[in-house]
Amino acid sequence: MLRATLKSLLARKLRLILSGLAVVLGVMFVAGAFVVTDTLSKSFDSLFASAYSTTDVGVTAKPKVEVSEFEGEEVITPLPASALAQVQGVPGVQSATGLVDADGARVIGSDGKVLTSVGPPRIGSAWTGTDDLLQLREGRGPTADDEFVANATVAKAAGIKVGDRVGVLTLEPKKEFKLVGIYGYSGNRDSLGGVQEVAFTEPVAQKLMLGKTGVYSSIRVQAEPGVTPEALRDRISATLGAGYVTKTGDELAADTAADLQAGLGFFTNILLGFAGVALFVGIFLILNTFSIIVAQRTRELALMRALGASRRQMIGSVLVEAVVIGLIASVLGLAAGVGVGALLAYLFNSFVGGGMQLGTVGVPAAAIISSFVVGVLVTVVAAVLPALRASRIAPVAAMQDVATPDRPLTKVSVAGGLVTATGATALGLGLFADMGDATLWTILTGVLVSFIGIALLTPLISRPVVSGIGRLFSWSLPGRLGRLNSGRNPRRTAITAAALMVGIALVTGVTVVMDSAKASLKAEAATILKAEVVLSGDQNGPRPPTYDPAVLRDAAKIPGVRAVAGLWNYQVTINGENHYVNATDNFAGLKDAFGNTAVGTPETLRDDQLAVSVPEARDYGWQVGTKLTIQPARGDPREYTVAAVYPEDSLPGSYLLPVAAAKDFGITQPTMGFVRLADGVAVSQVLPQVKALLADSPEVSAQDAQAFVDEQAATFDTLITMIQILLALAILIAVLGVINTLALSVLERTRELGLLRAVGLGRAQTMRMVTVEAVVISVFGALLGVVVGAGMGTAVTRALKSDGITELVLPWERMGTYLVLAALVGVIAAVLPAIRAARLNVLGAIAHD
C-alpha cells in the first residue's frame, strides 16, 4: 500500500508542486522570522561587546522616571563630579573616566534639513580622545567651545567636511559649530549600529546634552591587573551606595542587547502573525487539492478497496501523501526562510544606516523545529477530511463510470452556523466585555473561528451567488459554460473562494477601521481645534521634533495674531505612577486655540498648579484643590495643586502643567504650538511670517489647521498600505489556489473537454470558458471578503466608539477596487489552466479514462 501511494505521488509531480507551494510560502515566513531575529541578535551581541570592550565596570545613576522600551526614551540622571572622585579612590581602579553621552544631538545637513533616524539614537558626547575602539580619520579633536567632531556616518549623511560650519540641535535651540574632525571605529566601521554621534568639548557637551556643567552621564572604569570586573563592581557599589547602578562591561553589553532584542521580538511576532494568516489560507488550498485528488482517484481507490485494502489503509494512504508533501514543503520553506531571514537582516542593517557588522546567518533550533511541525501539521490537518472521504468509497465504485456526487449541504451548513455563532460570541466578548489580559487573544480567536464558520457556510450561498455573477458573462457560449462549471461543485468553489476571502476580508476590515478613525479625527478636529495655524513636525525617532521657544514670543507680536500657545510634553510620575503630561506657556491662549469654554477654569496656571481632564479626575478621585506630587525626568519632586478640571478633548492631553515645569522635562523645548488669529484676519497674511520665524528650527514647520489635520490623518493611509503589502502573501496563496483548482479541474474534465472540442468548441472558446470560471470564482471570493471584512470592521469600529472613533466609513471605492482586482486575479490565474485545456488532444481526451 505504501509503495502504491508513493508511486501515485511521484506520477503526479505537478499536483505535488501546486499543493505544497502554499505550505512553502507559509513556512518560509515562520523560518524567516526566527532566522532574522537570531542573526540580528548575534550581531547586536557582537556590536555591544565591541562597544564595551574598553569598559571593565560602568556606573550610572538610577533614573528619576523609569520608562520601558516601548513607552519612550529614559532620561539620564547626571552623575556629580564627586561620584567620579569616589570611584577613582576605590582600590583596584586603574582609571575612571567621566563620560558625557546622551541622545538628542540632531545635525543639520548641508541641505538645511535635520538628519533623521529610524531607530538608532543621535548621540551627543564629550570628546575623550582615541582608543582601541575609536579612531580619528581626519582632522583633530575639539578644543574650543565652538568646535565639534562627528563620526563618518554623520559626515556622509549630512554632506559635511572638516572646516564646515554646521548647525546642531540639542537641549538648546540651534547652535553652529566648526567641524574639526571625523572619526570611525575599529574594523573600518563608520558607526556602531548606525548610531549618529557627534562630540564636543566636555563643558559644552555637559551643558547641551545634560543641562548643566560639572556632571557626567556615566563613568567608565578600567581595573588594575589581577582585579576581576565582578570584584571591582562590588567594591564600587559598596562605596557609592544606593542611587547608583554598577555593572560590568559584559553585563552592560548583555543588557543593552536584551533591550534591543525585545524590540526584535515584537518584529518577530508581526512576521509570525502574517505567516499564520498565510498558513491559514494555505489550509483551504491544500484541503481543496486533496478533495479534488480523492474525487479524481475514486475509481482507483475503489479498485484498491475491492482488492482488499481496508478503510484504515485508505486513510493512511492519503495521510502519507500529505506527510510527504508536508516534509518536502517544510524543507523548501526552511531553505527559503533562511534566505528571506538573511535578506531581512541585511535590509534592516541598511535601513538603520549600515553601521553594524552582520554576523553569520543564524538558523536556530526553533526555526527548524517550527518549520517541520508547522509544515507537516498544516498539511496533515488539511488532508484529514479528504482522507476520511476516501475511506468511505465503496468497492463497487470500481465498476462504475464515477462522477463526483453532489452531496447535500445540510450538515456542513449547520456546522457552519454553529461555528460562526461561536466565533461571533468570542469576538463580541473581546470587543465589548472586559477580558483583561485575554482581550487580544479573545478577539483573535473570534476572528479565526468566524472565518472558519463563514467558510463552512460558503457552499450554501455559492450556487446562487456564483450563478448571479456568472450571468454577467453569459452573453456567449463559453461564458455560459464557464458559469455552469463554476457552480457545478459548490464545495470546491466555496473552498477555493474562501482562501481569497480571508485575505480580502482582513484588508477590508482594517481599511474600514482606519478610514473610520481618519474620518473621526477630522470631524473631531473640525469641532475642537480653533487655532488657524499649527506648529508641528514629523517624529521619525524616539524624540519628538522641537523648536526655539523664542518663536512663540515673536509670533505673538505679529499683527493680526490674537493668542499664541506652546506645548511641551514628557513623561513624569504622579503620586508614583507614570503619566504623560503637557505644559503650556499660555493656558488662556491654549483654551482659546481649542475652543474651551468650561466655566470656572482659570485663565492662568501658577507655577504650583495643574489642570487635569474629567476622566483622570474621576478615576483617581481628584477635584479642584487636590494636591499631587510630581517627579519630573530631571530635578526634584514637587507638589502641585489641581486648579481646574476640564472636559475630555477640550484641551490636549489629560494633564496640563505651567511652562516652569518644562525645565525639568526630558525635552526642555516646545514640541507643538498653536496660533489664534483675530477675527477677520486671513491665514495667508500670517502664515508666511510664522514660517520665517522657524528658519532656525528645521524640524518643525507651520501650516494651516486643515493641512495639519490632513497630515495627521494621512498616517492611517500609510498603515493601510503596509498591511496590504503584508497581506499580499495571503492573497498570492489564494491565487495559487485558483490556479490549482482550475488545473486539477481541467485534468478531471479531460474527457468532457475533448467532447466539447469534438462538437465544435474552438481553442479560443475553451480558453475563454476556463477564464470565465476563474473570474467568477475570484470575484465570488472577493465579494465574500468585502462583505465579511466590512461587517467585522463595522463591529470593531462600533466597539471603539468610546475610544474616539465616532464615524463609520465604508470605503466603497477601495472595496470596488478589490472586486476589480479580483477579476484581474481570475484572468491571471486562468492563463496556465486555459492553455492546458486548449492544447488537449481531442481524440486522446475523448479516449481518456
Side-chain angles (χ1 to χ4, degrees), residues 363-687:
V363 186
I368 300 172
I369 295 171
S370 60
S371 295
F372 283 97
V373 170
V374 168
V376 174
L377 184 63
V378 166
T379 313
V380 170
V381 167
V384 167
L385 288 178
L388 293 174
R389 194 172 303 137
S391 71
R392 297 191 184 107
I393 296 174
V396 72
M399 297 176 288
Q400 301 172 350
D401 188 8
V402 180
T404 305
D406 194 8
R407 291 169 291 130
L409 300 173
T410 305
K411 291 183 180 179
V412 72
S413 298
V414 171
L418 292 174
V419 174
T420 302
T422 303
T425 301
L427 191 58
L429 288 173
L431 293 174
F432 300 102
D434 185 8
M435 302 296 292
D437 295 337
T439 298
L440 177 60
W441 286 108
T442 304
I443 292 174
L444 292 176
T445 301
V447 170
L448 178 62
V449 175
S450 296
F451 274 135
I452 295 173
I454 293 167
L456 291 173
L457 288 173
T458 303
L460 184 66
I461 61 174
S462 67
R463 184 167 287 169
V465 176
V466 165
S467 178
I469 297 173
R471 291 186 185 279
L472 298 174
F473 306 94
S474 296
W475 47 269
S476 66
L477 177 62
R480 288 196 295 274
L481 290 172
R483 167 176 164 256
L484 292 172
N485 286 334
S486 59
R488 70 197 298 180
N489 192 323
R491 280 184 171 81
R492 183 180 303 174
T493 299
I495 295 173
T496 306
L500 188 59
M501 173 200 69
V502 174
I504 297 294
L506 289 173
V507 172
T508 302
V510 170
T511 303
V512 169
V513 175
M514 292 297 175
D515 280 357
S516 297
K518 183 168 66 172
S520 300
L521 173 66
K522 289 186 175 182
E524 183 181 14
T527 304
I528 296 174
L529 187 61
K530 304 302 180 184
E532 291 84 358
V533 176
V534 179
L535 282 64
S536 68
D538 291 328
Q539 185 168 343
N540 49 51
R543 299 178 64 88
T546 61
Y547 61 95
D548 190 341
V551 171
L552 298 170
R553 297 189 296 270
D554 295 338
K557 300 174 185 177
I558 297 175
V561 171
R562 185 167 82 194
V564 177
L567 206 65
W568 288 250
N569 60 72
Y570 215 75
Q571 198 171 44
V572 302
T573 63
I574 302 178
N575 290 352
E577 292 186 13
N578 282 24
H579 294 275
Y580 280 98
V581 299
N582 291 324
T584 182
D585 61 337
N586 187 352
F587 188 60
L590 192 63
K591 290 200 301 177
D592 191 12
F594 280 79
N596 183 302
T597 57
V599 177
T601 56
E603 292 302 303
T604 60
L605 290 175
R606 298 199 310 265
D607 287 355
D608 62 346
Q609 293 180 327
L610 83 159
V612 300
S613 68
V614 170
E616 296 296 308
R618 182 179 60 245
D619 291 346
Y620 290 98
W622 299 335
Q623 57 188 345
V624 173
T626 300
K627 295 187 181 299
L628 308 175
T629 300
I630 296 181
Q631 171 64 68
R634 308 176 195 273
D636 299 320
R638 183 169 180 177
E639 189 173 78
Y640 289 82
T641 302
V642 176
V645 177
Y646 55 87
E648 187 177 16
D649 297 329
S650 65
L651 285 171
S654 299
Y655 301 90
L656 272 170
L657 296 170
V659 69
K663 66 180 177 58
D664 290 328
F665 282 4
I667 297 175
T668 56
Q669 297 177 65
T671 57
M672 293 190 69
F674 304 92
V675 179
R676 191 80 164 95
L677 304 183
D679 294 340
V681 177
V683 174
S684 58
Q685 176 183 331
V686 175
L687 184 57

Side-chain angles (χ1 to χ4, degrees), residues 57 90-93 221-223 227-236:
V57 177
V90 173
V93 172
V221 183
Q222 290 183 314
V227 179
T228 65
E230 290 76 15
L232 187 57
R233 174 200 61 195
D234 295 340
R235 293 178 195 173
I236 294 173

Side-chain angles (χ1 to χ4, degrees), residues 258-310:
D259 289 339
L260 285 171
Q261 286 164 12
L264 287 178
F266 179 73
F267 176 61
T268 301
N269 290 336
I270 292 177
L271 290 177
L272 290 176
F274 284 100
V277 172
L279 289 167
F280 180 60
V281 174
I283 287 176
F284 291 101
L285 191 159
I286 299 165
L287 174 62
N288 213 23
T289 300
F290 276 93
S291 297
I292 297 173
I293 289 170
V294 168
Q296 289 175 350
R297 296 172 59 195
T298 299
R299 196 167 184 179
E300 173 191 332
L301 295 172
L303 183 60
M304 296 177 73
R305 287 295 312 281
L307 293 174
S310 66

Side-chain angles (χ1 to χ4, degrees), residues 763-831:
R763 286 190 173 183
Q765 290 177 310
T766 303
M767 294 178 69
R768 277 160 45 201
M769 177 186 70
V770 175
T771 301
V772 167
E773 184 177 353
V775 170
V776 169
I777 293 174
S778 298
V779 172
F780 174 52
L783 186 60
L784 273 178
V786 165
V787 172
V788 172
M792 288 188 173
T794 299
V796 172
T797 299
R798 292 305 186 198
L800 296 175
K801 188 173 183 179
S802 60
D803 294 321
I805 302 183
T806 56
E807 304 289 324
L808 174 62
V809 176
L810 295 177
W812 298 107
E813 184 178 344
R814 293 194 196 217
M815 290 192 292
T817 302
Y818 297 153
L819 293 176
V820 172
L821 289 176
L824 180 61
V825 162
V827 173
I828 295 172
V831 171

Side-chain angles (χ1 to χ4, degrees), residues 90-228:
V90 173
V93 172
Q94 183 178 33
S95 66
T97 306
L99 303 178
V100 179
D101 49 54
D103 192 5
R106 292 95 71 204
V107 174
I108 301 173
S110 57
D111 59 358
K113 297 180 180 179
V114 174
L115 295 190
T116 60
S117 174
V118 293
R122 292 170 286 187
I123 299 293
S125 61
W127 179 252
T128 57
T130 59
D131 52 30
D132 292 340
L133 176 65
L134 190 148
Q135 302 164 352
L136 197 61
R137 294 182 181 176
E138 296 180 44
R140 57 175 176 82
T143 55
D145 288 351
D146 66 339
E147 295 178 343
F148 84 119
V149 291
N151 69 11
T153 290
V154 170
K156 290 177 181 178
I160 54 178
K161 58 184 183 299
V162 173
D164 288 349
R165 301 289 297 182
V166 181
V168 183
L169 305 174
T170 57
L171 288 179
E172 298 187 7
K174 173 185 172 182
K175 293 184 180 298
E176 284 200 349
F177 297 86
K178 181 181 179 180
L179 181 66
V180 296
I182 297 174
Y183 60 93
Y185 304 86
S186 59
N188 199 33
R189 291 172 290 179
D190 291 343
S191 70
L192 294 177
V195 173
Q196 299 175 17
E197 187 173 3
V198 296
F200 312 92
T201 60
E202 185 175 281
V204 172
Q206 291 169 333
K207 184 171 184 293
L208 296 183
M209 304 310 303
L210 301 179
K212 57 183 177 181
T213 57
V215 294
Y216 302 96
S217 58
S218 63
I219 299 173
R220 181 178 64 205
V221 183
Q222 290 183 314
E224 291 180 347
V227 179
T228 65

